[in-house]
Amino acid sequence: MPNLVSHPDEVKVVSRRFGLGATDIDKYIELDGYKATRMAIEKGPEWIIAEMKASGLRGRGGAGFPTGMKWSFVPKVSEKPKYVLVNGDESEPGTCKDHVLFLHDPHAVIEGTMIAGLAIGAKMGFIYLRGEYRYLLKIVEKAVADAYAKGFLGKNIFGKEGVDFDIITQTGAGAYEVGEESALMESLEGKRGVPRIKPPFPAVVGLYGGPTVINNAETIANAPHILLMGGETYAKLGSERNGGTRLFGISGHVNRPGVYELPMGYSMRKAIYEVAGGIKDGKALKAVVPGGSSCPVLKADEIDVGLDFDQMAKAGTMLGSGGIVVLDETVSIVEFALRTIAFYQHESCGWCIPCREGTDWLKKTLTRFHAGAGNKKDIDNIQYLAENMMGRTFCPLGDAAAMPTLGFIKKFRGEFEEYLEGKRVDNPLIQIKPYGEPAGIGAGH
């Protein structure tokens, strides 16, 4: 289990109960648990959505869409049942924040799911956990059972006649693809986890054909805190158009890796050098993957940027899912690019040709290049392949594979060229197997 870390610059909102035994429902109630749900029942859906909009909360799964606005898109009247779906399929390499949330504060996710349901008029929610998080499923299932035992879930919750809400937990089978919202719904319905064509969008036609709100686990867990402190107060914790705080998983070559809750807009440089304690062994910083493996890399001289969606976009990358991976001077970018594309090639569902074929050719080319059998034309071909994948797939997995690849080529082209001349960073992590399959890369990532 991961150790909890802390730093004086943290602003603890969603993590404020971590380490306090809040998996126990009585302790959670003692720490203001389920108060927000009672308020939501009394004040109604319009108040809930108004507070969520005022909070400036944007989706913490990667897309950064305003949460209150997403909830408001759900039609008030529907012939089919409405649903809330919590995306806990945390499979982006470098990302580990939801894991800690489920481990230490599962009731916050449950309560947030209930609040979302009250906001849109749903009577059922699903919490979908990553397949490899089986041990967390036991924690979440116990929390759900305890909520039922208290009368917080089921019929007439909190003693309110006619107010019903049920929650079902489910795990995936290890597929990265089902982190995409429509593939997640397909998986939950018992089908193969491949994306749906949009429109229609989930808010209108979602799970089982009914209007559905789908949010990341961290997004949902913020809802109770927002209602308790007020949307405007929460918004002021962050930067303009990026309200509140965020859980950042800082990993790689740093002295104090871990999950930290920092205000939106916090300096990336400070996050690396102060919060995470700087680069290990006194080495120099080479690059940073700022939000999980799908985000374009930043060079060492590009980290004076705020950690919010808008500032990262201006820097030519993304905030993504909050997984900051720090690379020191010993890392071979050629090798890192191969490890990255090998993951996406393995996880492509194969439904659309640009992703299925593009990731495969990128992996083959980079494998040959890494093995020492490449040529200068390969560098241009890698860029060409990645550019022709962008925007041409049914879901963002094709882009997720192409964007980091383009970043590696454009920002570290010189290293690729030097690699051809035999000037390689002496830190071999990958042993090439027959048929070009890198060792150690598989579903577990």
Side-chain angles (χ1 to χ4, degrees):
M1 295 297 108
N3 294 322
L4 289 173
V5 292
S6 64
H7 187 272
D9 283 3
E10 285 190 273
V11 178
K12 297 197 174 187
V13 177
V14 76
S15 66
R16 72 180 182 87
R17 299 188 188 97
F18 289 5
L20 300 180
T23 52
D24 178 81
I25 193 167
D26 291 321
K27 186 65 177 179
Y28 181 77
I29 293 168
E30 181 186 322
L31 296 169
D32 296 329
Y34 293 107
K35 281 186 179 180
T37 309
R38 296 177 189 271
M39 291 171 62
I41 293 171
E42 294 298 327
K43 297 193 177 186
E46 291 185 3
W47 174 78
I48 299 170
I49 290 174
E51 289 297 320
M52 294 302 291
K53 285 183 175 179
S55 72
L57 177 68
R58 296 170 66 173
R60 300 303 194 234
F65 194 84
T67 305
M69 187 179 296
K70 178 185 276 193
W71 292 7
S72 71
F73 289 161
V74 176
K76 290 182 170 60
V77 179
S78 172
E79 293 181 358
K80 292 191 175 183
K82 303 175 188 179
Y83 301 102
V84 177
L85 177 49
V86 179
N87 187 346
D89 187 70
E90 184 176 57
S91 301
E92 179 84 353
T95 308
C96 50
K97 62 184 181 61
D98 295 340
H99 170 274
V100 183
L101 185 59
F102 285 118
L103 187 63
H104 290 283
D105 203 4
H107 285 284
V109 180
I110 293 168
E111 187 174 10
T113 307
M114 297 166 70
I115 289 167
L118 291 166
I120 68 168
K123 294 185 179 293
M124 179 168 284
F126 294 84
I127 299 175
Y128 190 105
L129 282 165
R130 175 182 172 182
E132 291 87 347
Y133 283 172
R134 297 281 172 175
Y135 55 97
L136 295 180
L137 180 64
K138 294 179 181 179
I139 295 171
V140 177
E141 284 183 335
K142 183 181 185 306
V144 169
D146 290 345
Y148 271 105
K150 290 279 188 182
F152 297 167
L153 288 172
K155 299 287 185 183
N156 306 320
I157 60 174
F158 298 97
K160 297 292 182 179
E161 188 71 29
V163 182
D164 307 331
F165 198 80
D166 289 288
I167 286 181
I168 295 173
T169 57
Q170 177 65 40
T171 64
Y176 172 82
E177 173 59 29
V178 298
E180 194 276 331
E181 62 180 15
S182 64
L184 185 64
M185 292 187 291
E186 290 287 289
S187 172
L188 194 54
E189 291 178 8
K191 305 170 190 173
R192 184 182 174 208
V194 297
R196 298 176 181 177
I197 296 174
K198 301 173 189 176
F201 293 97
V204 180
V205 180
L207 189 66
Y208 303 115
T212 305
V213 153
I214 306 173
N215 280 121
N216 170 260
E218 183 190 352
T219 310
I220 282 287
N222 269 291
H225 301 286
I226 288 168
L227 297 192
L228 287 176
M229 71 169 59
E232 291 185 2
T233 301
Y234 180 87
K236 290 175 183 176
L237 297 176
S239 54
E240 185 179 358
R241 298 184 65 251
N242 292 265
T245 61
R246 178 155 200 191
L247 295 175
F248 291 97
I250 308 177
S251 63
H253 298 128
V254 290
N255 287 308
R256 291 196 299 271
V259 177
Y260 298 90
E261 185 169 7
L262 301 168
M264 292 290 278
Y266 191 84
S267 163
M268 176 181 279
R269 180 177 292 277
K270 287 181 68 177
I272 294 169
Y273 283 97
E274 296 181 23
V275 176
I279 312 304
K280 286 180 71 174
D281 302 323
K283 289 186 169 62
L285 175 66
K286 183 171 189 176
V288 180
V289 178
S293 62
S294 61
C295 299
V297 67
L298 293 175
K299 297 179 76 173
D301 60 359
E302 297 177 311
I303 64 169
D304 290 305
V305 60
L307 289 166
D308 67 32
F309 293 102
D310 299 330
Q311 293 184 65
M312 297 302 280
K314 287 180 182 177
T317 186
M318 303 184 300
L319 192 62
S321 51
I324 301 172
V325 183
V326 179
L327 310 178
D328 72 16
E329 60 189 322
T330 67
V331 173
S332 165
I333 294 297
V334 174
E335 183 178 310
F336 195 80
L338 173 56
R339 291 183 69 89
T340 302
I341 199 60
F343 170 80
Y344 288 108
Q345 187 271 344
H346 182 275
E347 295 296 337
S348 173
C349 76
W351 189 32
C352 44
I353 294 170
C355 178
R356 182 183 70 231
E357 296 299 317
T359 56
D360 192 52
W361 277 107
L362 282 171
K363 179 189 165 187
K364 286 177 179 176
T365 306
L366 277 164
T367 298
R368 178 166 47 79
F369 194 96
H370 175 269
N375 58 64
K376 196 167 185 178
K377 183 64 176 174
D378 286 333
I379 303 173
D380 293 327
N381 285 341
I382 291 166
Q383 181 171 339
Y384 174 80
L385 283 166
E387 287 173 346
N388 280 277
M389 289 169 62
M390 288 291 295
R392 291 177 171 86
T393 55
F394 288 117
C395 87
L397 195 150
D399 289 357
M403 288 187 295
T405 304
L406 288 170
F408 295 137
I409 293 294
K410 290 178 179 179
K411 294 186 177 181
F412 292 94
R413 187 182 183 93
E415 183 169 330
F416 279 81
E417 292 174 347
E418 289 177 355
Y419 195 91
L420 289 173
E421 299 169 6
K423 300 174 184 177
R424 307 175 186 181
V425 177
D426 189 20
N427 185 28
L429 296 178
I430 295 181
Q431 298 297 319
I432 301 298
K433 290 183 175 180
Y435 311 109
E437 182 69 33
I441 297 177
H445 46 82

